[in-house]
Structures are given as C-alpha cells and as structure tokens.
Amino acid sequence: MDLLEYQAKALFRQMAIPVLPSQQIDNPADLKGLKIPYPVVLKSQVRAGGRGRAGGIKFVENTIDAVAAAQTIFNLPIESEYPQVLLAEAKYNTDQELYLAVLLDPVARRPVLLGSKQGGMNVEGTNAESCSKLQQVVVDQDFSPFYARRLTLKMGLQGDLIQSVSTIVEKMYRLFVEKDLDLVEINPLGISPTGEVMALDGKVSANDDALGRHPDLAELTSKRQSSGLPGERRSPYAPASRQNSH
C-alpha cells in the first residue's frame, strides 16, 4: 500500500529526516489560515507520479492565488485519482537534487540501497536510461554505516555531502526495517547552496502483510484520503515517477 506524500513525510519526521514546514489543506478555505509564509507550493496528494506535468503542483505568492490554485487542483484527476487533501509546503531553493531509495530485492530477499546524483525529473520511469543512472548497494550482512557511505561514494558525492547524505540513507534504512516497509524513497533530496539537505518529496510503500504489526501504519492506510483507481505497480528497481517539486 502506497502512502501519500504528506503521510510519508510524517514518518520522515519521526526519523529526524529533514522536511520542510508544511500544512495539510482539506479545502481551499483552509488557505486563509495558512501558517507558512509565502511563497509556497501546493501539491496534489495522489499516488500517481508526474503531478507537476498534469497540473497538480502549483507555486503561489499570495492567498488569493493560493485559493484559486487549490480549487483547480482539487478538481483535477491525475490517472483517475482525485485528491482529497493538498499539501502546502514552503518553497526551497536547491543547487543540486539527488535520488535515494531503500527497497527489498524480490529475488535475493535482501535490502537494496539506490542512489543517483540526478534526482527529480532526471530519474523517472522504467526505461534503461533512467535505471542506468542509479547506483546500487546490496545490504548482504548486518547493516552498518559502511553501506550508506559506500552508496554515496558510488554516487560520486564529495566533501561534506558524503556524511550528510549517508546520515539520510541510514535513517531511511532504519525506517524501512522498523516499519517492515517495501520501499522508502526520497526524490528529490534537495541540496541547498549552503549544503543543507532536505527531503523535498517522499514515497513510502507499506507491506500489507506487516500492517498487523504496525497499527500506526494501518491507521494511515485506512485514512488514506484519496479516491479513484489505483495506479499500476512499478518494477522493484524502477524509481517512482516524480515531478520536481521545488
């Protein structure tokens, strides 16, 4: 079961993975009490990728524009799915965007770390070119920070980014294991001009068979506030299709 972005980010906060100030929007009128300073980005909360291309992500500078944009997004189906919730989030400037993921190898039944120096729109879809950009590290023994650092080195990161991104990967892995998840993905992980890292978009897939051991996840999935047809399931090694959110 795929969680929505705002639900995934709630889990990220629990693991101290940095996310931006945000606010759940249940109807356009909520924006009149927005607590986040403008400019902000409004994001449709559906499982489908390519939300930006479909018109489900809009940057706004004031309340009037925000209310109008929210009305449009609420009435916009993306792959037959209408959002019941929007996410209003602070705008973030990046110098670089990375792709990170932790998933389960369906054959070896071992966790796999994935990473790319090209995140956001640069890592999308299931084609060979997209997948060739991904670096891979199989966790074949007890996890240690060595695995996360090895991934960052394979990605070609340098300097302080090696440690800061490794720390994010370690926290993603901890979330993956503690919640018995099928996938934890950050795309993109934004890098600010000062080297700060920020999870700008996130995807979490819960294992249906493990929900009985995790009532908090079961509650999230039961309250998943979206409707419409479910999206097709991706190849385990294909990155989620994401529109660059910032």
Side-chain angles (χ1 to χ4, degrees):
M1 175 70 72
D2 292 340
L3 301 185
L4 298 170
E5 177 191 359
Y6 79 97
Q7 296 171 326
K9 287 182 172 177
L11 295 178
F12 290 173
R13 288 190 187 94
Q14 293 178 18
M15 291 294 168
I17 294 173
V19 294
L20 291 167
S22 63
Q23 188 172 329
Q24 180 179 327
I25 304 300
D26 296 309
N27 61 72
D30 289 348
L31 288 159
K32 296 178 180 178
L34 188 65
K35 299 176 182 178
I36 307 167
Y38 289 97
V40 300
V41 57
L42 298 178
K43 299 198 276 187
S44 178
Q45 295 300 284
V46 295
R47 291 193 300 164
R51 294 176 295 170
R53 289 192 304 270
I57 295 177
K58 295 184 181 295
F59 291 94
V60 291
E61 302 283 344
N62 54 61
T63 301
I64 293 176
D65 291 345
V67 171
Q71 291 172 339
T72 298
I73 297 173
F74 270 119
N75 289 288
L76 176 71
I78 301 178
E79 295 186 11
S80 302
E81 187 178 2
Y82 285 89
Q84 300 301 309
V85 174
L86 306 187
L87 184 67
E89 196 167 65
K91 190 175 180 180
Y92 191 76
N93 295 318
T94 65
D95 272 354
Q96 186 178 2
E97 294 184 341
L98 310 179
Y99 173 89
L100 296 173
V102 182
L103 53 79
L104 188 67
D105 184 325
V107 177
R109 305 301 296 174
R110 300 296 303 177
V112 178
L113 312 179
L114 297 178
S116 174
K117 287 181 71 173
Q118 300 182 57
M121 285 287 289
N122 292 317
V123 180
E124 286 195 345
T126 60
N127 58 61
E129 181 181 355
S130 294
C131 293
S132 68
K133 299 174 182 177
L134 294 174
Q135 300 300 320
Q136 174 181 323
V137 172
V138 178
V139 182
D140 52 7
Q141 297 180 10
D142 290 341
F143 185 80
S144 73
F146 161 79
Y147 286 103
R149 183 177 178 86
R150 183 180 175 194
L151 178 67
T152 62
L153 293 175
K154 291 184 71 172
M155 290 168 62
L157 301 184
Q158 298 178 350
D160 293 339
L161 276 184
I162 294 174
Q163 182 58 50
S164 58
V165 175
S166 293
T167 299
I168 297 295
V169 175
E170 291 174 38
K171 292 176 179 179
M172 292 172 67
Y173 185 85
R174 179 183 168 196
L175 175 63
F176 177 83
V177 172
E178 289 187 2
K179 300 296 186 181
D180 293 313
L181 301 173
D182 286 337
L183 171 72
V184 178
E185 177 185 88
I186 296 177
N187 185 33
L189 180 75
I191 313 298
S192 75
T194 59
E196 180 185 24
V197 295
M198 188 70 63
L200 299 183
D201 201 350
K203 182 179 178 65
V204 167
S205 294
N207 187 314
D208 293 343
D209 295 333
L211 290 179
R213 298 191 296 273
H214 302 284
D216 56 333
L217 290 182
E219 183 177 4
L220 284 178
T221 57
S222 67
K223 291 183 177 181
R224 218 192 69 207
Q225 297 176 315
S226 62
S227 60
L229 299 175
E232 294 183 359
R233 195 155 183 83
R234 301 180 286 112
S235 163
Y237 285 95
S241 178
R242 289 290 185 189
Q243 169 68 29
N244 182 354
S245 303
H246 295 258

